[in-house]
Amino acid sequence: MNDTQPLIQLESLCRYFNSNGMETRAIHNLDLEIYPGEFVSISGPSGCGKSTLLSVLGLLDGATKGNYYLKQHKVEHFDLYQRAALRNKEIGFVFQAFNLIGDMTVFENVELPLTYSFESKSERKQRVMEKLDQVSMAHRENYYPAQLSGGQQQRVAVARGMIINPSILLADEPTGNLDSANGEEIMELLDQLNQQGTTICMVTHDSRFAQRATRTVELLDGQLLQ
């Protein structure tokens, strides 16, 4: 029994989609708790609901029914502004395709989430360089994404996801576009961040990387396999 309050708590969560009168149950009656400091991997076959679940966790999508608590905030009835404000404060993202902006430098890409913060330019610069140093990319601050390898781009993406010091980092197939060597390096980086206290929830198809997490969750047809 964990005496700590869960960072994330899902209760009978459902996400259904309707198309041409047909209902698809992407997530159905899902219960899940994620505690501070955990590294949780979500795995399962294609179409099982992994990415949908990550979108709901990241407040990019809403549940059809059920309860979602993030740091004790009951968020399923938040409006778009409230969701965006909570997401920008509490949640970092790392995507399979990196999602870096091509005409912005490494520094500018990492700084982007701080654009609307009240920090001074010097404070933002210090934070950006700290995060770039943490992922061993400070020496590439003035490079553009096209000048970097896939592994380097994902390191920059991790730094951008961490720049707000999020309560949780959501990683959607973070090694999916990388070869095995670069994938291993990204997993080592995520391991280090978790050991330093970052809570991580990762979707992956790769069973080798799923096993690196402190807890694995398997989905099938939108439901947890017990």
Side-chain angles (χ1 to χ4, degrees), residues 98 149-152 154 174-183 186:
F98 319 138
S149 69
Q152 289 174 326
Q154 194 62 298
T175 63
N177 279 359
L178 304 176
D179 59 33
S180 58
N182 278 306
I186 293 301

Side-chain angles (χ1 to χ4, degrees), residues 107 111 113-129 163:
F107 182 96
E111 184 187 31
L114 300 179
T115 302
Y116 299 105
S117 73
F118 295 103
E119 296 182 22
S120 67
K121 185 175 181 180
S122 62
E123 288 173 329
R124 293 201 305 270
K125 180 176 176 61
Q126 180 179 350
R127 285 183 63 179
V128 171
M129 295 310 297
I163 192 65

Side-chain angles (χ1 to χ4, degrees), residues 18 67 130 156:
N18 285 288
N67 298 322
E130 285 175 353
V156 174

Side-chain angles (χ1 to χ4, degrees), residues 160-179:
R160 181 186 57 192
M162 291 295 296
I163 192 65
I164 62 170
N165 295 319
S167 294
I168 189 166
L169 183 68
L170 301 180
D172 190 0
E173 297 282 1
T175 63
N177 279 359
L178 304 176
D179 59 33

